[in-house]
Protein backbone atom coordinates (compact mmCIF):
# COMPACT_ATOMS: atom_id res chain seq x y z
CA UNK A 1 0.00 0.00 0.00
CA UNK A 2 1.27 3.47 -0.90
CA UNK A 3 1.16 6.31 1.66
CA UNK A 4 0.20 8.65 -1.20
CA UNK A 5 -3.09 6.75 -1.65
CA UNK A 6 -4.08 7.38 1.97
CA UNK A 7 -6.07 10.42 3.01
CA UNK A 8 -4.27 12.81 5.32
CA UNK A 9 -7.61 14.10 6.68
CA UNK A 10 -8.39 13.24 10.32
CA UNK A 11 -10.36 10.02 10.83
CA UNK A 12 -11.70 7.58 13.40
CA UNK A 13 -9.69 5.33 15.73
CA UNK A 14 -9.59 1.77 14.33
CA UNK A 15 -10.08 -1.14 16.73
CA UNK A 16 -9.32 -4.60 15.39
CA UNK A 17 -9.83 -8.14 16.67
CA UNK A 18 -10.14 -11.59 15.13
CA UNK A 19 -13.79 -11.59 16.23
CA UNK A 20 -15.94 -10.33 19.08
CA UNK A 21 -13.29 -10.18 21.81
CA UNK A 22 -12.08 -6.69 20.96
CA UNK A 23 -15.54 -5.38 21.83
CA UNK A 24 -14.54 -5.79 25.51
CA UNK A 25 -11.67 -3.37 24.88
CA UNK A 26 -13.68 -1.04 22.65
CA UNK A 27 -16.38 -0.57 25.31
CA UNK A 28 -13.77 0.48 27.91
CA UNK A 29 -12.05 2.83 25.45
CA UNK A 30 -15.36 4.45 24.51
CA UNK A 31 -16.37 4.76 28.17
CA UNK A 32 -13.19 6.77 28.79
CA UNK A 33 -13.09 8.69 25.47
CA UNK A 34 -16.66 8.85 24.11
CA UNK A 35 -15.94 11.97 22.04
CA UNK A 36 -13.93 10.20 19.32
CA UNK A 37 -15.18 8.40 16.21
CA UNK A 38 -14.40 4.67 16.06
CA UNK A 39 -14.43 1.83 13.53
CA UNK A 40 -14.50 -1.69 14.93
CA UNK A 41 -13.35 -4.46 12.59
CA UNK A 42 -13.86 -8.13 13.49
CA UNK A 43 -12.35 -10.78 11.20
CA UNK A 44 -15.02 -13.26 12.34
CA UNK A 45 -14.84 -15.23 9.09
CA UNK A 46 -11.26 -16.27 9.91
CA UNK A 47 -11.51 -16.44 13.73
CA UNK A 48 -10.10 -17.93 15.86
CA UNK A 49 -6.53 -16.80 15.24
CA UNK A 50 -5.23 -18.55 18.36
CA UNK A 51 -4.05 -21.76 16.69
CA UNK A 52 -2.85 -20.18 13.46
CA UNK A 53 0.77 -19.81 12.37
CA UNK A 54 2.80 -16.67 12.93
CA UNK A 55 2.75 -15.97 9.17
CA UNK A 56 -1.04 -16.20 8.84
CA UNK A 57 -1.78 -14.10 11.92
CA UNK A 58 0.66 -11.48 10.61
CA UNK A 59 -0.86 -11.56 7.11
CA UNK A 60 -4.49 -11.30 8.34
CA UNK A 61 -3.63 -8.55 10.82
CA UNK A 62 -1.72 -6.52 8.22
CA UNK A 63 -4.68 -6.76 5.84
CA UNK A 64 -7.02 -5.49 8.56
CA UNK A 65 -4.70 -2.62 9.50
CA UNK A 66 -4.35 -1.57 5.85
CA UNK A 67 -8.12 -1.65 5.42
CA UNK A 68 -8.58 0.57 8.50
CA UNK A 69 -5.92 2.98 7.19
CA UNK A 70 -7.74 3.15 3.84
CA UNK A 71 -10.93 3.99 5.74
CA UNK A 72 -9.20 7.04 7.20
CA UNK A 73 -7.80 5.75 10.53
CA UNK A 74 -4.43 7.16 11.59
CA UNK A 75 -4.37 5.10 14.78
CA UNK A 76 -5.27 1.41 15.02
CA UNK A 77 -5.52 -0.58 18.24
CA UNK A 78 -4.93 -4.33 17.91
CA UNK A 79 -7.52 -5.33 20.53
CA UNK A 80 -6.30 -8.90 20.19
CA UNK A 81 -3.48 -10.47 22.19
CA UNK A 82 -2.70 -13.04 19.52
CA UNK A 83 -2.26 -10.33 16.87
CA UNK A 84 -0.35 -8.16 19.36
CA UNK A 85 1.97 -11.09 20.12
CA UNK A 86 2.51 -12.27 16.56
CA UNK A 87 2.07 -9.30 14.23
CA UNK A 88 2.50 -5.99 16.07
CA UNK A 89 6.28 -5.75 16.04
CA UNK A 90 6.61 -6.59 12.35
CA UNK A 91 3.87 -4.14 11.41
CA UNK A 92 5.45 -1.38 13.53
CA UNK A 93 9.02 -2.00 12.43
CA UNK A 94 8.70 -3.19 8.84
CA UNK A 95 5.35 -2.07 7.42
CA UNK A 96 4.58 1.31 8.97
CA UNK A 97 7.77 3.03 7.72
CA UNK A 98 6.76 1.99 4.17
CA UNK A 99 3.01 2.63 4.48
CA UNK A 100 3.11 5.91 6.40
CA UNK A 101 5.59 6.61 9.22
CA UNK A 102 3.08 8.96 10.85
CA UNK A 103 0.38 6.32 11.37
CA UNK A 104 0.41 4.21 14.53
CA UNK A 105 -0.58 0.67 15.50
CA UNK A 106 -0.71 -0.15 19.23
CA UNK A 107 -1.28 -3.48 20.98
CA UNK A 108 -2.78 -4.71 24.25
CA UNK A 109 0.02 -6.74 25.84
CA UNK A 110 2.36 -3.95 26.98
CA UNK A 111 -0.39 -1.91 28.76
CA UNK A 112 -1.55 -5.08 30.54
CA UNK A 113 1.99 -6.08 31.56
CA UNK A 114 2.56 -2.59 32.96
CA UNK A 115 -0.23 -2.91 35.53
CA UNK A 116 0.53 -6.40 36.83
CA UNK A 117 3.11 -5.37 39.46
CA UNK A 118 0.32 -3.69 41.44
CA UNK A 119 -1.77 -6.83 41.84
CA UNK A 120 0.57 -9.55 43.09
CA UNK A 121 2.02 -9.97 46.58
CA UNK A 122 3.45 -13.45 46.00
CA UNK A 123 5.10 -12.24 42.73
CA UNK A 124 3.65 -15.29 40.96
CA UNK A 125 1.34 -14.37 38.09
CA UNK A 126 -0.72 -16.59 35.78
CA UNK A 127 -1.59 -15.86 32.15
CA UNK A 128 -4.63 -17.42 30.50
CA UNK A 129 -4.47 -16.90 26.74
CA UNK A 130 -4.68 -18.51 23.31
CA UNK A 131 -2.06 -21.12 22.32
CA UNK A 132 -0.48 -18.53 19.99
CA UNK A 133 -0.07 -15.92 22.71
CA UNK A 134 1.29 -18.45 25.22
CA UNK A 135 3.73 -19.98 22.71
CA UNK A 136 5.03 -16.53 21.75
CA UNK A 137 6.12 -15.90 25.40
CA UNK A 138 5.35 -12.21 24.81
CA UNK A 139 3.82 -11.76 28.28
CA UNK A 140 6.83 -13.43 29.94
CA UNK A 141 9.22 -11.16 28.03
CA UNK A 142 7.27 -7.94 28.63
CA UNK A 143 6.72 -8.65 32.35
CA UNK A 144 10.40 -9.65 32.80
CA UNK A 145 11.47 -6.28 31.37
CA UNK A 146 9.24 -4.36 33.79
CA UNK A 147 9.20 -6.63 36.87
CA UNK A 148 12.16 -9.05 36.83
CA UNK A 149 11.13 -10.44 40.26
CA UNK A 150 7.76 -11.77 38.98
CA UNK A 151 7.43 -15.42 38.00
CA UNK A 152 5.01 -15.91 35.09
CA UNK A 153 3.18 -19.16 34.34
CA UNK A 154 1.09 -19.44 31.15
CA UNK A 155 -1.82 -21.73 30.35
CA UNK A 156 -3.16 -22.02 26.79
CA UNK A 157 -6.96 -22.32 26.58
CA UNK A 158 -7.68 -23.33 22.95
CA UNK A 159 -11.43 -23.88 23.50
CA UNK A 160 -12.30 -20.58 25.18
CA UNK A 161 -12.42 -18.36 22.06
CA UNK A 162 -14.60 -20.86 20.12
CA UNK A 163 -16.97 -20.99 23.13
CA UNK A 164 -17.38 -17.21 22.99
CA UNK A 165 -17.54 -16.96 19.18
CA UNK A 166 -20.32 -19.58 19.25
CA UNK A 167 -22.18 -17.92 22.14
CA UNK A 168 -21.65 -20.93 24.39
CA UNK A 169 -20.15 -19.01 27.31
CA UNK A 170 -22.97 -19.97 29.68
CA UNK A 171 -23.17 -23.65 28.69
CA UNK A 172 -22.06 -26.70 30.74
CA UNK A 173 -19.27 -27.07 28.14
CA UNK A 174 -17.92 -23.71 29.28
CA UNK A 175 -17.91 -24.93 32.91
CA UNK A 176 -15.85 -27.94 31.90
CA UNK A 177 -13.18 -26.07 29.91
CA UNK A 178 -12.92 -23.11 32.29
CA UNK A 179 -12.43 -25.38 35.29
CA UNK A 180 -9.95 -27.57 33.42
CA UNK A 181 -7.56 -24.74 32.55
CA UNK A 182 -7.80 -22.91 35.88
CA UNK A 183 -7.06 -26.15 37.74
CA UNK A 184 -4.06 -26.87 35.49
CA UNK A 185 -2.65 -23.37 35.94
CA UNK A 186 -3.02 -23.36 39.72
CA UNK A 187 -1.67 -26.90 40.06
CA UNK A 188 1.42 -25.95 38.07
CA UNK A 189 2.00 -22.91 40.29
CA UNK A 190 -0.01 -22.84 43.54
CA UNK A 191 1.63 -19.53 44.56
CA UNK A 192 -0.19 -17.55 41.85
CA UNK A 193 -2.24 -14.72 43.36
CA UNK A 194 -3.06 -12.75 40.17
CA UNK A 195 -4.26 -14.02 36.79
CA UNK A 196 -4.21 -11.96 33.60
CA UNK A 197 -7.04 -12.71 31.17
CA UNK A 198 -4.64 -12.44 28.23
CA UNK A 199 -7.26 -12.72 25.51
CA UNK A 200 -9.86 -10.05 24.84
CA UNK A 201 -12.59 -12.69 24.45
CA UNK A 202 -12.19 -13.91 28.03
CA UNK A 203 -14.06 -11.13 29.89
CA UNK A 204 -17.18 -12.63 28.31
CA UNK A 205 -16.43 -15.79 30.31
CA UNK A 206 -15.70 -13.80 33.49
CA UNK A 207 -18.64 -15.07 35.60
CA UNK A 208 -17.54 -18.66 34.90
CA UNK A 209 -13.85 -17.86 35.46
CA UNK A 210 -14.77 -16.22 38.82
CA UNK A 211 -16.85 -19.23 39.79
CA UNK A 212 -13.84 -21.57 39.46
CA UNK A 213 -11.12 -19.24 40.83
CA UNK A 214 -10.32 -19.57 44.54
CA UNK A 215 -11.01 -16.38 46.50
CA UNK A 216 -7.88 -14.39 47.15
CA UNK A 217 -6.73 -14.63 43.54
CA UNK A 218 -7.06 -11.39 41.62
CA UNK A 219 -8.44 -11.67 38.05
CA UNK A 220 -7.16 -9.03 35.64
CA UNK A 221 -9.28 -8.36 32.54
CA UNK A 222 -7.30 -5.96 30.38
CA UNK A 223 -9.85 -3.55 28.82
CA UNK A 224 -9.60 -0.79 31.39
CA UNK A 225 -5.77 -0.82 31.39
CA UNK A 226 -5.66 -0.62 27.60
CA UNK A 227 -8.13 2.28 27.69
CA UNK A 228 -6.15 4.19 30.35
CA UNK A 229 -2.91 3.58 28.49
CA UNK A 230 -4.43 4.89 25.23
CA UNK A 231 -5.71 7.97 27.07
CA UNK A 232 -2.19 8.62 28.43
CA UNK A 233 -0.68 8.02 24.98
CA UNK A 234 -2.98 10.58 23.36
CA UNK A 235 -2.21 13.07 26.13
CA UNK A 236 1.47 12.72 25.25
CA UNK A 237 0.87 12.83 21.50
CA UNK A 238 -1.27 15.86 20.62
CA UNK A 239 -0.21 15.45 16.97
CA UNK A 240 -2.10 12.12 16.92
CA UNK A 241 -5.04 13.52 18.89
CA UNK A 242 -5.42 16.17 16.15
CA UNK A 243 -5.74 13.41 13.57
CA UNK A 244 -8.79 11.84 15.26
CA UNK A 245 -12.28 13.07 14.45
CA UNK A 246 -14.67 13.81 17.31
CA UNK A 247 -18.22 12.87 16.25
CA UNK A 248 -18.86 10.25 18.98
CA UNK A 249 -19.79 7.73 16.27
CA UNK A 250 -19.06 4.02 15.91
CA UNK A 251 -19.15 1.76 12.83
CA UNK A 252 -18.97 -2.01 13.07
CA UNK A 253 -17.41 -4.04 10.25
CA UNK A 254 -17.17 -7.80 10.01
CA UNK A 255 -15.80 -10.25 7.46
CA UNK A 256 -18.75 -12.59 8.34
CA UNK A 257 -22.52 -12.17 8.05
CA UNK A 258 -23.35 -8.64 9.31
CA UNK A 259 -26.72 -9.70 10.78
CA UNK A 260 -25.23 -12.43 12.87
CA UNK A 261 -22.38 -10.13 13.97
CA UNK A 262 -24.90 -7.43 14.92
CA UNK A 263 -26.95 -9.89 16.94
CA UNK A 264 -23.99 -11.16 18.97
CA UNK A 265 -22.37 -7.74 19.34
CA UNK A 266 -25.66 -6.31 20.68
CA UNK A 267 -25.63 -8.99 23.38
CA UNK A 268 -21.97 -8.36 24.25
CA UNK A 269 -22.36 -4.57 24.33
CA UNK A 270 -25.93 -4.45 25.70
CA UNK A 271 -27.05 -1.97 23.03
CA UNK A 272 -28.30 -2.33 19.45
CA UNK A 273 -25.60 -2.67 16.79
CA UNK A 274 -25.76 -2.30 13.02
CA UNK A 275 -22.92 -4.04 11.19
CA UNK A 276 -21.52 -3.87 7.64
CA UNK A 277 -19.75 -6.57 5.69
CA UNK A 278 -16.16 -6.03 4.63
CA UNK A 279 -13.68 -8.13 2.65
CA UNK A 280 -10.01 -8.02 3.52
N1 LIG B 1 -9.33 -11.87 21.13
C1 LIG B 1 -8.18 -12.58 20.64
C2 LIG B 1 -7.03 -12.44 21.63
O1 LIG B 1 -7.06 -11.49 22.43
C3 LIG B 1 -8.59 -13.97 20.30
C4 LIG B 1 -7.69 -14.62 19.34
C5 LIG B 1 -8.30 -15.75 18.56
O2 LIG B 1 -9.00 -15.45 17.59
O3 LIG B 1 -8.02 -16.89 18.89
O4 LIG B 1 -6.08 -13.19 21.62
Amino acid sequence: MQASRLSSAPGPIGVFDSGYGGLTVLSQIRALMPQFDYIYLGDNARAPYGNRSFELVYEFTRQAVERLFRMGCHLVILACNTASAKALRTIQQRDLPLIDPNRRVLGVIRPTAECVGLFTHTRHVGILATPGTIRSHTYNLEIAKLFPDIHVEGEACPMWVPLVENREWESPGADYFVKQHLTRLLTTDPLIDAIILGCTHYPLLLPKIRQFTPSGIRLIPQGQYVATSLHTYLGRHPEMMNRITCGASIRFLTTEQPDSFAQSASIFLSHPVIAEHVTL
Side-chain angles (χ1 to χ4, degrees):
M1 186 172 38
Q2 299 280 311
S4 54
R5 296 219 196 115
L6 296 174
S7 163
S8 58
I13 296 177
V15 178
F16 167 69
D17 181 45
S18 60
Y20 297 111
L23 296 172
T24 64
V25 174
L26 174 76
S27 59
Q28 299 278 347
I29 293 178
R30 284 190 83 209
L32 196 60
M33 294 168 280
Q35 72 276 24
F36 295 132
D37 292 313
Y38 296 90
I39 299 182
Y40 183 86
L41 170 53
D43 189 9
N44 301 74
R46 301 188 292 194
Y49 281 11
N51 288 312
R52 293 192 185 274
S53 67
F54 177 95
E55 289 74 20
L56 267 187
V57 173
Y58 162 68
E59 188 55 30
F60 292 172
T61 306
R62 190 183 48 75
Q63 290 169 356
V65 166
E66 289 191 354
R67 165 55 71 131
L68 288 165
F69 284 171
R70 286 201 301 275
M71 297 185 78
C73 301
H74 291 253
L75 174 63
V76 172
I77 311 301
L78 301 186
C80 175
N81 291 266
T82 313
S84 299
K86 293 187 160 197
L88 179 64
R89 251 176 110 79
T90 315
I91 290 176
Q92 285 175 333
Q93 293 179 357
R94 198 172 73 191
D95 298 318
L96 279 185
L98 300 172
I99 297 171
D100 180 352
N102 294 319
R103 281 171 213 252
R104 289 287 173 271
V105 180
L106 305 175
V108 288
I109 293 182
R110 177 79 188 196
T112 311
E114 279 171 359
C115 78
V116 80
L118 296 173
F119 300 126
T120 171
H121 296 292
T122 61
R123 313 310 270 172
H124 285 246
V125 168
I127 314 288
L128 296 167
T130 66
T133 301
I134 295 297
R135 275 199 299 265
S136 76
H137 295 294
T138 311
Y139 270 103
N140 307 58
L141 297 169
E142 288 297 333
I143 293 173
K145 277 188 230 159
L146 299 161
F147 308 103
D149 61 318
I150 292 183
H151 174 80
V152 178
E153 196 64 54
E155 168 73 11
C157 313
M159 291 303 291
W160 289 17
V161 169
L163 283 168
V164 173
E165 287 288 313
N166 292 294
R167 288 194 250 161
E168 290 284 343
W169 65 90
E170 281 174 343
S171 67
D175 280 42
Y176 176 84
F177 286 111
V178 167
K179 194 171 167 200
Q180 179 189 56
H181 291 296
L182 276 166
T183 307
R184 269 194 211 155
L185 178 67
L186 296 172
T187 306
T188 310
D189 185 351
L191 293 178
I192 286 171
D193 68 347
I195 299 178
I196 291 176
L197 306 188
C199 171
T200 55
H201 281 68
Y202 295 176
L204 295 157
L205 287 163
L206 197 53
K208 288 262 178 264
I209 299 172
R210 263 209 191 104
Q211 190 184 328
F212 295 109
T213 303
S215 60
I217 297 183
R218 173 85 178 227
L219 293 172
I220 312 172
Q222 56 194 161
Q224 82 180 85
Y225 305 104
V226 175
T228 311
S229 166
L230 178 60
H231 187 260
T232 308
Y233 172 85
L234 290 173
R236 284 207 208 108
H237 293 275
E239 78 289 353
M240 181 53 79
M241 183 99 95
N242 293 335
R243 279 185 257 141
I244 303 170
T245 47
C246 292
S249 74
I250 172 89
R251 275 177 80 184
F252 293 94
L253 308 178
T254 176
T255 53
E256 250 298 342
Q257 297 292 328
D259 290 349
S260 135
F261 179 93
Q263 208 185 357
S264 294
S266 322
I267 298 170
F268 298 145
L269 294 173
S270 313
H271 64 71
V273 162
I274 296 171
E276 303 158 55
H277 182 259
V278 71
T279 356
L280 296 180

